[in-house]
Amino acid sequence: MSNTNLSRRDLFKFSGIAAAGLAGAATLSGCASPKSASEKTADKTTSNWRNKPEAITNISETVECDLIVVGAGNGGLVGAMTAQEAGFDVIVLEKSGAIAQAREAIGTIGSRHSQGHEPDVPTLMNHAKTTQSGDVNMALYRTWAEKSGEFMDWLEDIETPAGMTFPFEYHSPADPHAYYPAICTNPVMGEFNPQGPNMGAYAHLEVLRDLFLVAGGRIDFTTPARQLAQDTNGKVTGVIAQSKEKYLQYNAKHGVILCTGGYGANKDMVQELCPASLNYCTSTAATTEEGDGIRMALWAGGVLEKGAGAMVWNRSVVDDSEEVGPEKAQPLFLPASQPFLRVNVHGERFMNEDSTYPEIYTQGTRQPRGFSWQVFDGTYWEDIQRFDTGGCSRLTPAPDGSAFNADVYNCEALSKEHLDSTWMQPMLDAGILKKCNTIDELAETMFPEKEDRTTFLATIDRYNSLQATGDIDYGKAAFRYSTVEEAPFYAIRTAGNFLVTINGIITDTKSRALREDGSVIEGLYVCGNDQGGFYPHNYPSEFTGINAGRSATFARIAAKDACSIA
């Protein structure tokens, strides 16, 4: 096993990043600014994506190794390092020119820090099952619950010598009806500051990459995998990849792990499988995730689970054109995830606003024109502090000091001043956020039709009256309720920011891909957003960091199984 007890100086000479430059690592797939139209690759298509192509035979070079990992991200790098530090020769193939962006929250159960803060696992599993109408592999949830703590302790052990700190977040809402256990780890470079800022919040994949390289691993960037190599019995023996104009065959003694991030940037796949998750968005974060891993697994005999879904933030704005579509490349509005009043284009309230990001987005898509208005008043900062929301929507420190207090997009400490200058004022200047001194003026600004204005004013009166009696209309908890009474008054249209797809290839609990008859495709492992079983229909977003946690956990499980690591 290679020694990973490196000095911080030794570590970062491999990556070229330093503590002062870690702010640049703060952009992540889930919380990144939307791509401009020229940057996006969502228009890329792969026609007839289910059809297995002709075998590539013009191989220019053959490379031998023990294990191939396709995708250098939150799962792939964990699987690669797991095998490399155990003495195996590992090559990572990455189609882009850099590793993926890290998640700031990694949801795990059973780590050394979580003692006394564990959720009831059967309750969690059954809650997840309910969100998917029963269409979920509960054995995968059980395996994640049993194995994720070991993964997190391992990651902390190898990265702490490089300067990483592993604060544990355990604050959860007090409302007994809210199921949102914030039991996750938020790695940061350097000392954790609960009050913020935490500029090294997205550095752990950079560190893991460098540890992998120092341990002798290899990453071939701009080398997209094109096909899997199989023997006459169907065993996966390697990968054929493309480097510039030539094809290379990578032979792997112990198998292949696919972690390519889903299919969010493959227009054909998204439009066939989950169009509603994209068509009502006004921006997208999908870039290189074109379904490479899923398609290769299908061609090798794997099965794509039924259903289809995606992660969607409800934070992308809609401008006065009221047009939707990911090609609009609209900016994001961080407070959009707060449980303020929501109305449709006719001024009608239509939901319990104390909902997860994808639920707010989906409810909006069911309304006329496919979006909704968020409405709040001049007490918004006091309301936000009382709301005490979790995960990426948290805008104030947790009472117990465990949670991140940071703008998830730039890692600056959040305060009213920061919120106003960074998020409110730019939207006011652009005319996207409406601000008026009276409710009547706000109604005139929002609704051109008198009938809609009348409905909106009645909605405000009704909404305000329910603060005292309880929300008998939609059942929003009292501590997440806020009236619209104190000037100035604000309104903003929001839709969705498309992130990644979440349904994938059917596997067993060892991440081994399965055929239609349930038999194992020897040598093929599928992890991350390429792996199915967790949420094939929608992303409930009700356990902080669960997707990053399950991606890494199952990649580590896959590497251990492939290489017979105890």
Side-chain angles (χ1 to χ4, degrees), residues 418-430:
H418 177 85
L419 192 69
D420 288 349
S421 63
T422 303
W423 294 99
M424 300 282 285
Q425 195 59 49
M427 290 297 165
L428 290 168
D429 293 343

Side-chain angles (χ1 to χ4, degrees), residues 46-231:
T46 305
S47 299
N48 303 316
W49 58 271
R50 294 180 185 271
N51 297 338
K52 185 175 182 178
E54 293 292 327
I56 296 171
T57 57
N58 54 328
I59 306 299
S60 299
E61 181 182 346
T62 300
V63 181
E64 304 290 337
C65 64
D66 291 325
L67 182 70
I68 292 290
V69 177
V70 184
N74 290 283
L77 287 176
V78 170
M81 185 59 186
T82 295
Q84 187 67 40
E85 73 165 353
F88 293 90
D89 181 19
V90 184
I91 297 177
V92 177
L93 302 179
E94 170 56 47
K95 71 184 299 182
S96 70
I99 65 172
Q101 295 164 326
R103 295 291 293 132
E104 90 288 2
I106 307 174
T108 62
I109 296 176
S111 72
R112 64 172 64 99
H113 297 295
S114 65
Q115 304 295 320
H117 301 290
E118 305 286 7
D120 181 73
V121 172
T123 298
L124 186 153
M125 291 165 56
N126 282 293
H127 176 79
K129 178 187 63 145
T130 301
T131 69
Q132 306 302 309
S133 299
D135 189 11
V136 64
N137 187 335
M138 295 184 74
L140 291 181
Y141 275 89
R142 167 60 65 182
T143 301
W144 162 72
E146 292 173 346
K147 302 294 186 180
S148 59
E150 185 275 336
F151 146 70
M152 182 51 63
D153 289 343
W154 166 81
L155 186 67
E156 180 176 4
D157 288 343
I158 67 171
E159 290 198 342
T160 296
M164 294 296 297
T165 302
F166 286 77
F168 178 69
E169 178 181 349
Y170 52 87
H171 179 75
S172 299
D175 178 16
H177 301 291
Y179 196 80
Y180 201 124
I183 303 171
C184 65
T185 302
N186 302 313
V188 299
M189 175 57 70
E191 184 177 355
F192 171 64
N193 180 7
Q195 299 301 316
N198 287 281
M199 293 302 184
Y202 302 102
H204 68 273
L205 282 191
E206 302 277 350
V207 172
L208 190 57
R209 173 201 61 193
D210 294 340
L211 291 171
F212 172 67
L213 294 175
V214 169
R218 169 178 166 181
I219 304 176
D220 286 2
F221 290 104
T222 62
T223 307
R226 298 302 188 195
Q227 295 178 7
L228 296 173
Q230 293 177 272
D231 65 17

Side-chain angles (χ1 to χ4, degrees), residues 260-335:
T260 65
Y263 57 90
N266 186 313
K267 185 176 180 180
D268 285 355
M269 293 182 70
V270 173
Q271 289 301 332
E272 178 179 333
L273 297 171
C274 55
S277 295
L278 178 67
N279 292 346
Y280 293 97
C281 290
T282 56
S283 62
T284 178
T287 53
T288 62
E289 314 93 275
E290 297 177 285
D292 301 336
I294 290 174
R295 288 184 288 122
M296 287 189 291
L298 286 176
W299 301 336
V303 181
L304 180 62
E305 68 182 338
K306 304 298 183 183
M311 296 184 188
V312 181
W313 289 142
N314 66 308
R315 296 178 183 170
S316 196
V317 305
V318 180
D319 63 19
D320 287 349
S321 72
E322 296 195 341
E323 295 178 355
V324 297
E327 72 283 349
K328 301 299 292 183
Q330 294 285 10
L332 307 186
F333 185 61
L334 181 59

